[in-house]
Amino acid sequence: MLFNSVHFVLFFIVVTAAYFMLPHRWRWLMLLIASCYFYMFFIPVYILILGFTIVVDYFAGILLEQHTGRKRKFWLIASLVANIGVLAVFKYYNFLNENLSALLNAFGYRNHIPNLGILLPIGLSFHTFQAMSYTIEVYRGYQKAERNFGIYSLYVMFYPQLVAGPIERPQNLLHQFYEEHRFELKRVVEGLKLILWGFFMKLVVADRLAMYVNAIYNNPGKHSGISLMTATVFFAFQIYGDFAGYSNIAIGSARVMGFKLMTNFNRPYFSKSIAEFWKRWHISLSTWFKDYLYISLGGNRVGIPRWYLNLFIVFTISGLWHGANWTYILWGALNGLYLVSALVTAPLTQRLHQMLGLHRMRRLNNLLQILITFILICITWVFFRANSTADAFLILGRMFTFSGPLFADWSTVMLYAFAAIAFLLAVEAKKEFYRGSFSFMDHPRAVVRYGTYTLLIMSILLFGVFDGGQFIYFQF
Amino acid sequence: MLKEEHIALRQFLLRLLLLLLIVAAVDQGLGAYLRRLYFSQRSGDYFRTTYGMDSTRAPLLVLGSSRASHHFVPAVLDSVLQMPAYNSGRDGCEILNNLAVFRAATQRYQPRLIILELSPKELYNSQESYDKLSNLLPYYRSHPEVRDLVKLRGPYESWKLVSATYPFNSQLIRLFNGRWNLSGDIGIRQGGYLPLQGSGVSGTADNQLPDPPGAPDANKLNALKEMTAYCRQRQIPFLVVYSPIFSNIRNQEGSRVVRSICAADGALFWDYSNDVRFDGHPEFFRDNSHMNDAGARYFSAIIADSIRSAAVAGSQLTAAH
């Protein structure tokens, strides 16, 4: 079920009402049934895959707790193999097979292994990673194994974050299913405000920008450098509006019922370095990779070359996590390369700052750092959005030629797009730089608050794109 | 629920009700203003569609998408056929939108000839065709004949239309533009025709346009059948045209279906998509799908001559010559 659909609005109202009407002891069951319905709205049979990983990880958790030493390790590995195995079959099998074919063809051989004619289950990487975080935490002894099969299933399937995160940790979420959440006005309003802002980000910002981005990126050879550049900047805001919008709706939906999910975005485009960007962008995934892969590889407690290699490996795998395509792998690798380069050139950069006297002009320095980080991130987005690696390199090649006219339909796309970006940036800049100042949504005067809600709702009605597609991150 | 929860719930519902009332008031007020703005357009797409549905009494009515609006020159048709024409073609508006104009126009008067321009792939299923039915949303309240078409957008469309603002979604800039003609649109002075200038293609058409996968869309076929059947009943000559295109058409199944529907109701189907007078002539094309002004004038003269020769428009039309 898509968040930006009438189905979801009805579903949300019914589920939330039922949640508060039911006695506490039945709430988890209702949420589990609702979450199954939510997931089965896409392709019903794929719930069996989810069921498989849930059963494996549930028993693995209990067995992990019961054993020590090598047996304990065995059950962890068994759980990880099952989870990664599901990912490998459903997400990476065809990609690996096609690459094998290409490799064999290069040497004059043919690959006779057929591709699988299956669709990728929605949000597979998200719930698989959430399930894996459970078994790893139990293995590390930071989380007790969950004995209630229904509650564990709900941990993996909780509908607000089932298909696109935030990827939760068991310590944060599991205990919340046991707690009785009362109907609290402040919390419900807080959740609804997040949902409203999420819809604005998705419908008014992301889907509007998508119209231009799709037109350009689906025919990159036919467009000028300036159009490709504009589309790339638009995509930066599109993907942010799309994914942060989704996260806001997810966090808000859970918040209304009293659940607190982790923050997933923290105004990433105001980051002053790539390292900071990754602390503000898709936080639940970045921390997952940090906690479970980077640290397992040794993190920064190793020699410098190994430390750099660790960073590079983690980001390249993070690229692969996003999709079975070389474009994503290159996207991840480029981010890894940025981070390693920043570390290598740090002394040089500092000296340059001092030479130019930038350390004395704090605001200018900050602005420059934000701009440079944004430009570097935009370059990575080319790989993320391009339909193929060939397209990505074509776009990067043409982008800096500055030749040809700007492809623009001002009356239906461009003016709305620029206005949407400006509004989003203004709201985010206010939160980032003037945190304690005037707040529209939390203003003590009701007239300001209600005026703001009405403005946002009317903006969605007037400028939202209602024929937009699904959320980008659903495909991962 | 505890007593405090009941109090909180009551407070919440009251606040929600207050917000809904404010939103409803603003929505209805703004919607009424936008409606007035929409129906007082003086130029642009919205005006041309409204004119086609509510005002034109042109004996020759042209329906279709951008290919119609850029390919049929009323002045040329009129000079050959001695019959004023109105071109209601509109960018992105395919047969389901055309049916709305057809219904509204034929309710008011009986044209002497109706031409429907079809694109070779148009009858096949595409989500975009249904999305583009949003162009009919402003007419939902005032034109009952379009309601079933609007509802094809989705099961909740009539719910969404409780909002008075929603029908004007994404239209604000174009509404102001159309009301005060800020872009200098001259379409209505040319009977709805929108000329394209220059040539953006070269060489020969090398792109293939095969039949899209799957069968033609049932709703679109029904739309075509409704038009042909109505015209047969009212004895209005009805001509379906594939106008020239700068692509190699391999659209066998689509053409066969159109031909058989037309034949069943005595309508004509003329296919110029691979016409030798346009094949290999990039000077007539602005892009792969659209002719430029020179091509449109040449094509309009050809089709007008053919209509006159074939006297497809029946006794009234032949009587004019």
Side-chain angles (χ1 to χ4, degrees), chain A residues 26-27 62 93 98 149 228 378 389 417 441:
Chain A
W26 296 113
R27 285 177 176 176
I62 293 170
Y93 174 86
E98 281 157 17
F149 181 72
L228 291 165
C378 279
T389 46
M441 275 210 186

Side-chain angles (χ1 to χ4, degrees), chain B residues 37 68 302 313:
Chain B
L37 198 59
I302 289 172

Side-chain angles (χ1 to χ4, degrees), chain B residues 246-288:
Chain B
F246 200 70
S247 300
N248 285 321
I249 301 295
R250 298 284 175 270
N251 199 238
Q252 305 300 334
E253 177 58 16
S255 304
R256 192 192 62 72
V257 173
V258 175
R259 188 167 281 114
S260 78
I261 291 173
C262 289
D265 281 317
L268 284 175
F269 171 49
W270 290 351
D271 183 356
Y272 292 93
S273 58
N274 285 331
D275 192 284
V276 289
R277 287 165 288 191
F278 295 89
D279 260 4
H281 287 278
E283 70 275 16
F284 287 140
F285 289 89
R286 176 70 192 91
D287 55 46
N288 286 334

